[in-house]
DNA sequence: ATGACCGTCTCAGACGGA
């Protein structure tokens, strides 16, 4: 199965690039984040014409997550929201079962700045994810939690550690909670399974030519259960989607494994 | 090319993003 996770930074603005991705990468499952659309504005028809069924959690102008499944794959048991999250109306978590695999698409709270209320809510959100991951571990089948975690797991995932001193995304508080999600769910960072220690970025600031200067972060992750980790064939970043006409500031992360 | 963002909403400028 081939899964893509991508923070599109507005599905409306990114629809041509999303259709390009479906055509060229031909994923079985797609986890989208920051769809930024109202429920009634979600482009279900266009995606259906492209050969994908969709479930989505749409909250209006901010956030929003979705899961797309290629036609022919069973898509069921979709559920929106996370028990215990601080602001359920923000539309940051959706999960479903696709072809027997439990898939979650998540857009973790940004946190704005250390010490602020949004940062406290980010930590609460991560704790709610750990609780859900533990619940999924007890369920049947394999699990993938994919999305924009807004955390750099290690210093290696930051282009310049000094530039992020005292900032969000790199604190031990955030990183410890990410590790707690992995432990609770029996999940592994797919990138670390296939490419341990390799620096790979998934996000580059639109400003100051950061992409072309190689200044990015790895904040988009796919956490996979052991059965998937053991069959991983490819974990890679589609850098071409960070180039060209109207790119997102995130590039899609592709995760492919043997079997369903 | 020695400077450099892009969405959203409401209508020039705020706000969020990371």
């Amino acid at each position: 199965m081939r899964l893509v996770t991508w923070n599109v930074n507005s599905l409306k603005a990114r629809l041509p690039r999303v259709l390009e991705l479906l055509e060229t990468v031909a994923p079985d499952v797609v986890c989208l984040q920051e769809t930024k659309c109202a429920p009634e504005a979600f482009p279900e028809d266009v995606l259906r014409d492209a050969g994908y069924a969709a479930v989505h959690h749409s909250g209006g102008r901010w956030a929003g997550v979705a899961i797309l499944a290629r036609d022919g794959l069973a898509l069921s048991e979709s559920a929106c929201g996370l028990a215990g999250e601080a602001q359920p109306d923000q539309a940051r978590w959706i999960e479903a079962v696709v072809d027997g695999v439990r898939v979650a698409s998540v857009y973790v709270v940004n946190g704005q700045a250390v010490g602020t209320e949004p940062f406290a809510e980010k930590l609460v959100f991560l704790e709610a994810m750990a609780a859900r991951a533990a619940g999924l571990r007890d369920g049947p089948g394999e699990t993938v939690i994919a999305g924009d975690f807004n955390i750099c797991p290690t210093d290696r995932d930051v282009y310049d550690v000094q530039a992020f001193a005292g900032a969000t995304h790199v604190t031990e508080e955030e990183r410890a909670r990410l590790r707690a999600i992995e432990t609770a769910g029996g999940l592994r960072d797919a990138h670390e399974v296939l490419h341990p220690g390799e620096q790979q970025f998934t996000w580059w600031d639109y400003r100051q030519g950061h992409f072309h200067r190689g200044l990015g972060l790895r904040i988009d992750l796919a956490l996979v259960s052991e059965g998937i980790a053991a069959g991983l064939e490819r974990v890679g970043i589609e850098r071409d989607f960070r180039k060209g006409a109207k790119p997102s500031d995130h590039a899609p992360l592709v995760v492919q494994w043997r079997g369903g």
Side-chain angles (χ1 to χ4, degrees):
Chain A
M1 179 176 275
R2 184 181 306 138
L3 177 146
V4 171
T5 181
W6 193 14
N7 179 322
V8 292
N9 183 20
S10 168
L11 183 52
K12 182 182 177 188
R14 218 63 59 210
L15 198 50
R17 304 305 301 266
V18 170
L19 295 174
E20 180 189 349
L21 176 94
L22 298 178
E23 180 85 21
T24 60
V25 178
D28 296 301
V29 191
V30 183
C31 297
L32 299 177
Q33 301 87 36
E34 282 208 86
T35 51
K36 291 185 173 177
C37 65
E40 63 274 16
F42 190 90
E44 272 184 278
D45 295 348
V46 176
L47 295 169
R48 193 181 302 116
D49 288 346
Y52 287 81
V55 291
H56 61 98
H57 187 19
S58 301
R61 66 186 293 193
W62 304 121
V65 287
I67 298 171
L68 316 184
R70 185 170 55 75
D71 283 346
L73 295 179
L75 173 63
S76 64
E77 296 180 49
S78 70
C80 297
L82 204 51
E85 63 181 315
Q87 298 201 45
D89 56 325
Q90 286 188 347
R92 295 179 177 279
W93 176 277
I94 187 168
E95 57 179 76
V97 175
V98 183
D99 199 29
V101 177
R102 174 70 64 171
V103 176
S105 176
V106 64
Y107 175 48
V108 172
V109 178
N110 174 292
Q112 291 185 356
V114 176
T116 62
E117 181 58 30
F119 187 75
E121 290 177 2
K122 181 178 193 174
L123 300 182
V124 168
F125 189 91
L126 293 167
E127 288 162 11
M129 281 178 67
R132 183 65 188 127
L136 292 175
R137 186 181 204 169
D138 295 334
E142 302 295 332
T143 295
V144 183
I145 300 177
D148 178 356
F149 282 66
N150 273 321
I151 300 173
C152 303
T154 71
D155 282 351
R156 194 190 317 112
D157 303 306
V158 187
Y159 68 89
D160 181 356
V161 174
Q162 303 291 353
F164 276 78
T168 61
H169 294 60
V170 301
T171 69
E172 182 52 27
E173 289 164 290
E174 293 160 278
R175 287 173 172 171
R177 282 165 178 80
L178 172 59
R179 291 193 296 271
I181 293 167
E182 294 171 344
T183 302
L187 303 170
R188 297 181 68 194
D189 179 342
H191 168 84
E192 287 300 321
V193 175
L194 275 202
H195 306 292
E198 277 183 36
Q199 189 176 63
Q200 284 270 26
F201 300 140
T202 65
W203 173 88
W204 300 260
D205 200 310
Y206 280 123
R207 291 168 291 190
Q208 298 171 313
H210 273 203
F211 177 71
H212 297 286
R213 294 163 60 197
L215 310 179
L217 304 176
R218 188 171 75 92
I219 53 176
D220 299 272
L221 311 175
L223 306 185
V224 300
S225 54
E226 282 300 334
I228 291 173
L232 278 176
E233 295 176 325
R234 182 186 168 208
V235 180
I237 292 150
E238 294 285 339
R239 293 174 51 89
D240 286 351
F241 285 87
R242 183 61 181 77
K243 309 172 187 172
K246 288 176 79 71
S248 170
D249 45 357
H250 296 250
L253 173 68
V254 182
V255 180
Q256 183 174 315
W257 65 93
R258 283 188 294 276

